[in-house]
């Protein structure tokens, strides 16, 4: 048996993968266990912090979309209707896919490598903060509360786009 540090893993059974990891030496930090709620909250708050600091919109958008995807998975299992589903349902059936592609298209382009050096021409400057609005609203719908950084984002949104948050997140949409 290999001597050295024992890694805490998600599994309860000690495996050959654990032995291989031990040979690499101790981990830089002990692992942490996260729930889906914590992951979504960290992604949303990270996107908000980046946005409020004036960072490039691409990582802001990618983090917010990643949170939306986590939240949609949770919503599906808990049978919660997400704001994106509500909005999509209000669109004529033949245009629903195009609407979802407006949010997902740039995300899929940004997170996947490809065999070509294709360019993405239509990344709108408003997409990052609108995606944060959608992520914050979805988080609230799924978990019934706000992330710690949501109030700061709401303040920014109200100062820059008065009334937008309420219009975009109202139940009647």
């Amino acid at each position: 048996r290999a001597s050295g540090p024992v890694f805490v893993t998600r599994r309860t059974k000690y495996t050959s993968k654990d032995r291989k990891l031990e040979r690499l030496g101790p981990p830089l930090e002990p692992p942490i266990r996260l729930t889906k709620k914590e992951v979504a909250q960290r992604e949303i708050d990270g996107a908000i912090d980046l946005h409020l600091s004036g960072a490039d919109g691409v990582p802001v958008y990618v983090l917010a979309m990643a949170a939306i995807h986590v939240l949609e998975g949770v919503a599906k299992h808990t049978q919660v209707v997400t704001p994106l589903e509500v909005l999509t349902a209000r669109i004529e059936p033949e245009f629903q896919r195009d609407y979802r592609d407006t949010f997902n298209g740039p995300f899929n382009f940004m997170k996947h490598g490809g065999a070509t050096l294709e360019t993405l021409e239509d990344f709108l400057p408003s997409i990052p903060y609108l995606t944060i609005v959608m992520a914050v609203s979805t988080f609230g719908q799924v978990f019934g509360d706000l992330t710690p950084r949501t109030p700061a984002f709401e303040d920014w949104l109200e100062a820059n786009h008065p009334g937008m948050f309420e219009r975009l997140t109202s139940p009647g949409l």
Side-chain angles (χ1 to χ4, degrees), residues 91-140:
I91 295 172
E92 296 294 326
E94 62 268 20
F95 300 114
Q96 287 180 359
R97 183 180 175 109
D98 290 338
Y99 178 75
R100 284 193 71 87
D101 287 348
T102 299
F103 282 98
N104 288 319
F107 181 64
N108 289 332
F109 174 83
M110 292 172 191
K111 70 177 184 164
H112 295 294
T116 65
L117 297 175
E118 66 181 291
T119 60
L120 179 65
E121 299 174 23
D122 298 326
F123 185 71
L124 302 171
S126 58
I127 287 291
Y129 70 81
L130 292 173
T131 306
I132 293 173
V133 169
M134 190 65 66
V136 164
S137 182
T138 304
F139 189 90

Side-chain angles (χ1 to χ4, degrees), residues 128-172:
Y129 70 81
L130 292 173
T131 306
I132 293 173
V133 169
M134 190 65 66
V136 164
S137 182
T138 304
F139 189 90
Q141 192 71 27
V142 171
F143 293 113
D145 58 4
L146 302 175
T147 73
R149 300 294 291 143
T150 294
F153 177 73
E154 288 175 338
D155 290 346
W156 175 89
L157 194 62
E158 187 59 32
N160 290 277
H161 306 281
M164 181 181 282
F165 191 82
E166 288 76 23
R167 286 192 308 273
L168 292 173
T169 60
S170 66

